[in-house]
Amino acid sequence: PSRFEQRVLDALAGKNLICFWAHPEADDHAEYRHMGVKFAIDTRPYPDLLLKTRGYTGFAGLNEGENNLLNPGSAWDEALGEYLAGMRSPPPWCFGEMLYHHEGQAGKIISNVENMVWAREKKAEALLDSIRRGFFYARINHKGQSLALERWQVNGLESGRTGHAQGGSVNVSLAVASKIPGEKLEALVIRNGEVVKKAQEASPLELAFEDNLPPGETNFLYRAVVRGKYPLRLATNPVFIRR
């Protein structure tokens, strides 16, 4: 299963190209008639391909409609866990995506979905390098309102980085602002597929807490999801900690 998709991914990886799974949770159905013959095109959600394939840069986890891959314990967390266990590389990053054909299509504006990249400079090579390493976050904006990730660190490490915990706990820090202050936010900090911190407050939101690492485990990943009034959302890429 998935051998044809994997062949494509292997070819793209061989050319050092960025590739990601588009709308893995979306339904697509259309019916047509050509020369008097009716036919249909039908695509069902395929989140399972995150686990069945290797070598892709990421997936569209933040998009119009359902975003269940952001939920704790999803196939994304399973794939990240496989990376921590040395069973896959690279780790899959979460992209923002829109099914966009033209400006104004069904009320769509291309700036409603953005991937915010941290890079050394505004040049293609630097931007692509940062995307490959997970130095970006995804967000959905709405009617002039947007959420901004101002700080996301675990023991001083930021998105896409791997570091070491010196003891039995780590310090987690998250700060999210909004273009229009006062947006009611819900933030989840997720460690290895489980919520370790939940907060609800108006923007700007700031969290700083010490998380005690469970005994017997050596590898950990942290990620965060922040939601405002639908459809406002923000998803960080993970930070990896090894003990």
Side-chain angles (χ1 to χ4, degrees):
S2 308
R3 63 186 184 278
F4 300 112
E5 293 91 340
Q6 190 60 60
R7 285 175 60 186
V8 173
L9 293 173
D10 291 344
L12 294 171
K15 296 182 179 298
N16 197 31
L17 297 174
I18 287 173
C19 55
F20 69 97
W21 283 112
H23 42 268
E25 298 183 82
D27 279 296
D28 187 19
H29 182 86
E31 297 184 3
Y32 303 92
R33 180 186 291 272
H34 180 67
M35 299 180 66
V37 178
K38 290 184 178 180
F39 66 96
I41 296 175
D42 190 86
T43 302
R44 300 297 179 185
Y46 48 92
D48 56 311
L49 278 180
L50 267 66
L51 294 169
K52 292 180 178 179
T53 55
R54 300 282 192 275
Y56 55 91
T57 313
F59 68 101
L62 200 60
N63 49 56
E64 306 153 297
E66 296 292 333
N67 289 172
N68 293 321
L69 286 169
L70 298 183
N71 294 341
S74 68
W76 184 26
D77 280 329
E78 290 187 56
L80 291 171
E82 289 181 353
Y83 166 74
L84 279 179
M87 298 167 59
R88 71 161 60 236
S89 184
W93 309 122
C94 174
F95 288 80
E97 177 202 60
M98 178 191 295
L99 186 59
Y100 180 91
H101 295 285
H102 58 81
E103 197 76 354
Q105 168 209 354
K108 295 181 182 181
I109 302 172
I110 196 168
S111 60
N112 278 351
V113 180
E114 295 180 310
N115 294 291
M116 310 300 290
V117 183
W118 292 289
R120 301 184 307 275
E121 53 186 345
K122 288 186 178 181
K123 293 185 178 179
E125 183 178 351
L127 289 167
L128 292 174
D129 179 63
S130 289
I131 291 171
R132 288 189 183 95
R133 299 168 70 187
F135 295 171
F136 67 97
Y137 69 93
R139 69 183 185 184
I140 291 183
N141 312 318
H142 186 63
K143 292 185 177 179
Q145 177 66 301
S146 60
L147 306 180
L149 183 63
E150 297 195 330
R151 186 171 64 257
W152 169 233
Q153 295 180 327
V154 181
N155 270 19
L157 298 166
E158 299 173 339
S159 295
R161 297 186 183 274
T162 302
H164 297 274
Q166 299 302 314
S169 65
V170 295
N171 296 311
V172 182
S173 180
L174 172 70
V176 177
S178 60
K179 187 173 183 179
I180 304 171
E183 181 75 26
K184 293 182 179 178
L185 302 178
E186 177 186 78
L188 300 179
V189 177
I190 300 163
R191 184 234 300 140
N192 289 21
E194 297 184 358
V195 175
V196 293
K197 190 72 172 181
K198 181 177 180 180
Q200 292 179 318
E201 61 182 76
S203 65
L205 176 148
E206 292 202 26
L207 288 178
F209 65 97
E210 183 178 22
D211 184 42
N212 294 317
L213 300 176
E217 297 183 44
T218 56
N219 299 323
F220 306 92
L221 66 96
Y222 288 82
R223 62 182 183 87
V225 179
V226 183
R227 297 183 176 93
K229 183 179 180 181
Y230 187 85
L232 288 171
R233 279 164 285 178
L234 180 154
T236 75
N237 274 308
V239 176
F240 303 105
I241 296 289
R242 304 186 189 279
R243 178 167 59 184

PDB file of all heavy atoms in Angstrom, residues 161-187:
ATOM      1  N   ARG A 161      13.702  22.598  16.621  1.00  0.00           N
ATOM      2  CA  ARG A 161      15.013  22.316  17.211  1.00  0.00           C
ATOM      3  C   ARG A 161      14.970  21.103  18.143  1.00  0.00           C
ATOM      4  O   ARG A 161      13.929  20.746  18.677  1.00  0.00           O
ATOM      5  CB  ARG A 161      15.542  23.532  17.967  1.00  0.00           C
ATOM      6  CG  ARG A 161      15.776  24.751  17.057  1.00  0.00           C
ATOM      7  CD  ARG A 161      16.424  25.889  17.811  1.00  0.00           C
ATOM      8  NE  ARG A 161      16.582  27.066  16.976  1.00  0.00           N
ATOM      9  CZ  ARG A 161      17.607  27.302  16.172  1.00  0.00           C
ATOM     10  NH1 ARG A 161      18.581  26.402  16.081  1.00  0.00           N
ATOM     11  NH2 ARG A 161      17.683  28.396  15.455  1.00  0.00           N
ATOM     12  N   THR A 162      16.132  20.516  18.329  1.00  0.00           N
ATOM     13  CA  THR A 162      16.279  19.380  19.237  1.00  0.00           C
ATOM     14  C   THR A 162      17.342  19.718  20.269  1.00  0.00           C
ATOM     15  O   THR A 162      18.421  20.211  19.930  1.00  0.00           O
ATOM     16  CB  THR A 162      16.707  18.113  18.467  1.00  0.00           C
ATOM     17  OG1 THR A 162      15.738  17.825  17.463  1.00  0.00           O
ATOM     18  CG2 THR A 162      16.812  16.927  19.407  1.00  0.00           C
ATOM     19  N   GLY A 163      17.019  19.466  21.536  1.00  0.00           N
ATOM     20  CA  GLY A 163      17.975  19.744  22.603  1.00  0.00           C
ATOM     21  C   GLY A 163      17.890  18.706  23.687  1.00  0.00           C
ATOM     22  O   GLY A 163      17.199  17.692  23.539  1.00  0.00           O
ATOM     23  N   HIS A 164      18.567  18.946  24.788  1.00  0.00           N
ATOM     24  CA  HIS A 164      18.638  17.984  25.879  1.00  0.00           C
ATOM     25  C   HIS A 164      18.116  18.596  27.176  1.00  0.00           C
ATOM     26  O   HIS A 164      18.389  19.748  27.487  1.00  0.00           O
ATOM     27  CB  HIS A 164      20.075  17.496  26.073  1.00  0.00           C
ATOM     28  CG  HIS A 164      20.615  16.758  24.893  1.00  0.00           C
ATOM     29  ND1 HIS A 164      20.418  15.414  24.708  1.00  0.00           N
ATOM     30  CD2 HIS A 164      21.322  17.188  23.818  1.00  0.00           C
ATOM     31  CE1 HIS A 164      21.000  15.026  23.581  1.00  0.00           C
ATOM     32  NE2 HIS A 164      21.554  16.099  23.021  1.00  0.00           N
ATOM     33  N   ALA A 165      17.349  17.813  27.915  1.00  0.00           N
ATOM     34  CA  ALA A 165      16.891  18.231  29.240  1.00  0.00           C
ATOM     35  C   ALA A 165      17.961  17.868  30.254  1.00  0.00           C
ATOM     36  O   ALA A 165      18.514  16.767  30.231  1.00  0.00           O
ATOM     37  CB  ALA A 165      15.577  17.532  29.583  1.00  0.00           C
ATOM     38  N   GLN A 166      18.250  18.795  31.158  1.00  0.00           N
ATOM     39  CA  GLN A 166      19.318  18.574  32.128  1.00  0.00           C
ATOM     40  C   GLN A 166      18.837  17.823  33.369  1.00  0.00           C
ATOM     41  O   GLN A 166      19.624  17.313  34.133  1.00  0.00           O
ATOM     42  CB  GLN A 166      19.914  19.923  32.542  1.00  0.00           C
ATOM     43  CG  GLN A 166      20.524  20.690  31.380  1.00  0.00           C
ATOM     44  CD  GLN A 166      21.620  19.908  30.678  1.00  0.00           C
ATOM     45  OE1 GLN A 166      22.491  19.333  31.319  1.00  0.00           O
ATOM     46  NE2 GLN A 166      21.573  19.874  29.351  1.00  0.00           N
ATOM     47  N   GLY A 167      17.523  17.753  33.552  1.00  0.00           N
ATOM     48  CA  GLY A 167      17.007  17.083  34.748  1.00  0.00           C
ATOM     49  C   GLY A 167      15.661  16.453  34.495  1.00  0.00           C
ATOM     50  O   GLY A 167      15.371  16.006  33.390  1.00  0.00           O
ATOM     51  N   GLY A 168      14.828  16.458  35.530  1.00  0.00           N
ATOM     52  CA  GLY A 168      13.533  15.798  35.422  1.00  0.00           C
ATOM     53  C   GLY A 168      12.413  16.713  34.994  1.00  0.00           C
ATOM     54  O   GLY A 168      11.252  16.315  35.002  1.00  0.00           O
ATOM     55  N   SER A 169      12.736  17.953  34.602  1.00  0.00           N
ATOM     56  CA  SER A 169      11.695  18.874  34.170  1.00  0.00           C
ATOM     57  C   SER A 169      12.236  19.830  33.123  1.00  0.00           C
ATOM     58  O   SER A 169      13.461  19.974  32.962  1.00  0.00           O
ATOM     59  CB  SER A 169      11.138  19.658  35.363  1.00  0.00           C
ATOM     60  OG  SER A 169      12.138  20.503  35.910  1.00  0.00           O
ATOM     61  N   VAL A 170      11.322  20.478  32.393  1.00  0.00           N
ATOM     62  CA  VAL A 170      11.700  21.483  31.407  1.00  0.00           C
ATOM     63  C   VAL A 170      10.819  22.715  31.617  1.00  0.00           C
ATOM     64  O   VAL A 170       9.723  22.629  32.188  1.00  0.00           O
ATOM     65  CB  VAL A 170      11.544  20.983  29.960  1.00  0.00           C
ATOM     66  CG1 VAL A 170      12.492  19.845  29.669  1.00  0.00           C
ATOM     67  CG2 VAL A 170      10.102  20.553  29.691  1.00  0.00           C
ATOM     68  N   ASN A 171      11.302  23.849  31.170  1.00  0.00           N
ATOM     69  CA  ASN A 171      10.540  25.090  31.231  1.00  0.00           C
ATOM     70  C   ASN A 171       9.928  25.374  29.864  1.00  0.00           C
ATOM     71  O   ASN A 171      10.631  25.383  28.860  1.00  0.00           O
ATOM     72  CB  ASN A 171      11.436  26.255  31.654  1.00  0.00           C
ATOM     73  CG  ASN A 171      11.970  26.070  33.066  1.00  0.00           C
ATOM     74  OD1 ASN A 171      11.217  25.769  33.978  1.00  0.00           O
ATOM     75  ND2 ASN A 171      13.274  26.230  33.237  1.00  0.00           N
ATOM     76  N   VAL A 172       8.620  25.581  29.852  1.00  0.00           N
ATOM     77  CA  VAL A 172       7.883  25.817  28.615  1.00  0.00           C
ATOM     78  C   VAL A 172       7.360  27.245  28.621  1.00  0.00           C
ATOM     79  O   VAL A 172       6.819  27.709  29.627  1.00  0.00           O
ATOM     80  CB  VAL A 172       6.702  24.834  28.470  1.00  0.00           C
ATOM     81  CG1 VAL A 172       5.970  25.061  27.157  1.00  0.00           C
ATOM     82  CG2 VAL A 172       7.194  23.396  28.571  1.00  0.00           C
ATOM     83  N   SER A 173       7.524  27.941  27.497  1.00  0.00           N
ATOM     84  CA  SER A 173       7.101  29.334  27.416  1.00  0.00           C
ATOM     85  C   SER A 173       6.384  29.573  26.087  1.00  0.00           C
ATOM     86  O   SER A 173       6.915  29.253  25.023  1.00  0.00           O
ATOM     87  CB  SER A 173       8.315  30.261  27.535  1.00  0.00           C
ATOM     88  OG  SER A 173       7.924  31.613  27.464  1.00  0.00           O
ATOM     89  N   LEU A 174       5.180  30.143  26.161  1.00  0.00           N
ATOM     90  CA  LEU A 174       4.370  30.418  24.971  1.00  0.00           C
ATOM     91  C   LEU A 174       3.752  31.802  25.100  1.00  0.00           C
ATOM     92  O   LEU A 174       3.178  32.139  26.142  1.00  0.00           O
ATOM     93  CB  LEU A 174       3.258  29.374  24.837  1.00  0.00           C
ATOM     94  CG  LEU A 174       2.198  29.608  23.755  1.00  0.00           C
ATOM     95  CD1 LEU A 174       2.798  29.412  22.362  1.00  0.00           C
ATOM     96  CD2 LEU A 174       1.016  28.666  23.950  1.00  0.00           C
ATOM     97  N   ALA A 175       3.881  32.619  24.052  1.00  0.00           N
ATOM     98  CA  ALA A 175       3.253  33.944  24.037  1.00  0.00           C
ATOM     99  C   ALA A 175       2.619  34.166  22.675  1.00  0.00           C
ATOM    100  O   ALA A 175       3.263  33.992  21.639  1.00  0.00           O
ATOM    101  CB  ALA A 175       4.276  35.039  24.330  1.00  0.00           C
ATOM    102  N   VAL A 176       1.327  34.526  22.685  1.00  0.00           N
ATOM    103  CA  VAL A 176       0.574  34.747  21.450  1.00  0.00           C
ATOM    104  C   VAL A 176      -0.171  36.067  21.560  1.00  0.00           C
ATOM    105  O   VAL A 176      -0.886  36.305  22.542  1.00  0.00           O
ATOM    106  CB  VAL A 176      -0.423  33.601  21.182  1.00  0.00           C
ATOM    107  CG1 VAL A 176      -1.251  33.898  19.934  1.00  0.00           C
ATOM    108  CG2 VAL A 176       0.316  32.279  21.023  1.00  0.00           C
ATOM    109  N   ALA A 177       0.013  36.923  20.580  1.00  0.00           N
ATOM    110  CA  ALA A 177      -0.707  38.189  20.513  1.00  0.00           C
ATOM    111  C   ALA A 177      -1.705  38.128  19.361  1.00  0.00           C
ATOM    112  O   ALA A 177      -1.720  37.174  18.578  1.00  0.00           O
ATOM    113  CB  ALA A 177       0.270  39.345  20.310  1.00  0.00           C
ATOM    114  N   SER A 178      -2.553  39.141  19.250  1.00  0.00           N
ATOM    115  CA  SER A 178      -3.479  39.238  18.129  1.00  0.00           C
ATOM    116  C   SER A 178      -3.406  40.636  17.548  1.00  0.00           C
ATOM    117  O   SER A 178      -3.105  41.607  18.253  1.00  0.00           O
ATOM    118  CB  SER A 178      -4.908  38.911  18.562  1.00  0.00           C
ATOM    119  OG  SER A 178      -5.361  39.802  19.566  1.00  0.00           O
ATOM    120  N   LYS A 179      -3.673  40.739  16.255  1.00  0.00           N
ATOM    121  CA  LYS A 179      -3.602  42.036  15.588  1.00  0.00           C
ATOM    122  C   LYS A 179      -4.566  43.024  16.232  1.00  0.00           C
ATOM    123  O   LYS A 179      -4.254  44.200  16.397  1.00  0.00           O
ATOM    124  CB  LYS A 179      -3.916  41.862  14.101  1.00  0.00           C
ATOM    125  CG  LYS A 179      -3.711  43.111  13.282  1.00  0.00           C
ATOM    126  CD  LYS A 179      -3.882  42.834  11.806  1.00  0.00           C
ATOM    127  CE  LYS A 179      -3.614  44.078  10.975  1.00  0.00           C
ATOM    128  NZ  LYS A 179      -3.769  43.798   9.520  1.00  0.00           N
ATOM    129  N   ILE A 180      -5.754  42.524  16.592  1.00  0.00           N
ATOM    130  CA  ILE A 180      -6.722  43.317  17.350  1.00  0.00           C
ATOM    131  C   ILE A 180      -6.717  42.765  18.767  1.00  0.00           C
ATOM    132  O   ILE A 180      -7.141  41.627  18.992  1.00  0.00           O
ATOM    133  CB  ILE A 180      -8.132  43.217  16.742  1.00  0.00           C
ATOM    134  CG1 ILE A 180      -8.099  43.645  15.271  1.00  0.00           C
ATOM    135  CG2 ILE A 180      -9.121  44.074  17.530  1.00  0.00           C
ATOM    136  CD1 ILE A 180      -9.393  43.389  14.522  1.00  0.00           C
ATOM    137  N   PRO A 181      -6.206  43.499  19.754  1.00  0.00           N
ATOM    138  CA  PRO A 181      -6.085  42.970  21.124  1.00  0.00           C
ATOM    139  C   PRO A 181      -7.448  42.580  21.710  1.00  0.00           C
ATOM    140  O   PRO A 181      -8.492  43.089  21.303  1.00  0.00           O
ATOM    141  CB  PRO A 181      -5.464  44.138  21.897  1.00  0.00           C
ATOM    142  CG  PRO A 181      -4.809  44.983  20.863  1.00  0.00           C
ATOM    143  CD  PRO A 181      -5.661  44.865  19.638  1.00  0.00           C
ATOM    144  N   GLY A 182      -7.389  41.668  22.684  1.00  0.00           N
ATOM    145  CA  GLY A 182      -8.597  41.269  23.386  1.00  0.00           C
ATOM    146  C   GLY A 182      -9.282  40.039  22.842  1.00  0.00           C
ATOM    147  O   GLY A 182     -10.325  39.625  23.358  1.00  0.00           O
ATOM    148  N   GLU A 183      -8.711  39.409  21.809  1.00  0.00           N
ATOM    149  CA  GLU A 183      -9.296  38.180  21.263  1.00  0.00           C
ATOM    150  C   GLU A 183      -9.288  37.086  22.331  1.00  0.00           C
ATOM    151  O   GLU A 183      -8.273  36.838  22.985  1.00  0.00           O
ATOM    152  CB  GLU A 183      -8.486  37.710  20.051  1.00  0.00           C
ATOM    153  CG  GLU A 183      -9.003  36.467  19.381  1.00  0.00           C
ATOM    154  CD  GLU A 183     -10.243  36.713  18.537  1.00  0.00           C
ATOM    155  OE1 GLU A 183     -10.426  37.866  18.057  1.00  0.00           O
ATOM    156  OE2 GLU A 183     -11.011  35.753  18.348  1.00  0.00           O
ATOM    157  N   LYS A 184     -10.426  36.425  22.540  1.00  0.00           N
ATOM    158  CA  LYS A 184     -10.506  35.338  23.502  1.00  0.00           C
ATOM    159  C   LYS A 184      -9.839  34.099  22.920  1.00  0.00           C
ATOM    160  O   LYS A 184     -10.238  33.609  21.864  1.00  0.00           O
ATOM    161  CB  LYS A 184     -11.962  35.049  23.867  1.00  0.00           C
ATOM    162  CG  LYS A 184     -12.638  36.179  24.633  1.00  0.00           C
ATOM    163  CD  LYS A 184     -14.065  35.819  25.005  1.00  0.00           C
ATOM    164  CE  LYS A 184     -14.721  36.956  25.795  1.00  0.00           C
ATOM    165  NZ  LYS A 184     -16.145  36.642  26.141  1.00  0.00           N
ATOM    166  N   LEU A 185      -8.831  33.601  23.608  1.00  0.00           N
ATOM    167  CA  LEU A 185      -8.015  32.509  23.095  1.00  0.00           C
ATOM    168  C   LEU A 185      -8.079  31.279  23.988  1.00  0.00           C
ATOM    169  O   LEU A 185      -8.241  31.388  25.206  1.00  0.00           O
ATOM    170  CB  LEU A 185      -6.556  32.950  22.971  1.00  0.00           C
ATOM    171  CG  LEU A 185      -6.261  34.164  22.095  1.00  0.00           C
ATOM    172  CD1 LEU A 185      -4.776  34.476  22.121  1.00  0.00           C
ATOM    173  CD2 LEU A 185      -6.740  33.944  20.674  1.00  0.00           C
ATOM    174  N   GLU A 186      -7.927  30.132  23.350  1.00  0.00           N
ATOM    175  CA  GLU A 186      -7.710  28.876  24.071  1.00  0.00           C
ATOM    176  C   GLU A 186      -6.406  28.286  23.557  1.00  0.00           C
ATOM    177  O   GLU A 186      -6.221  28.125  22.350  1.00  0.00           O
ATOM    178  CB  GLU A 186      -8.838  27.880  23.834  1.00  0.00           C
ATOM    179  CG  GLU A 186      -8.589  26.535  24.534  1.00  0.00           C
ATOM    180  CD  GLU A 186      -9.625  25.487  24.199  1.00  0.00           C
ATOM    181  OE1 GLU A 186      -9.536  24.915  23.093  1.00  0.00           O
ATOM    182  OE2 GLU A 186     -10.518  25.241  25.029  1.00  0.00           O
ATOM    183  N   ALA A 187      -5.491  27.997  24.469  1.00  0.00           N
ATOM    184  CA  ALA A 187      -4.185  27.457  24.097  1.00  0.00           C
ATOM    185  C   ALA A 187      -4.002  26.073  24.702  1.00  0.00           C
ATOM    186  O   ALA A 187      -4.325  25.848  25.873  1.00  0.00           O
ATOM    187  CB  ALA A 187      -3.070  28.382  24.570  1.00  0.00           C
TER     188      ALA A 187
END
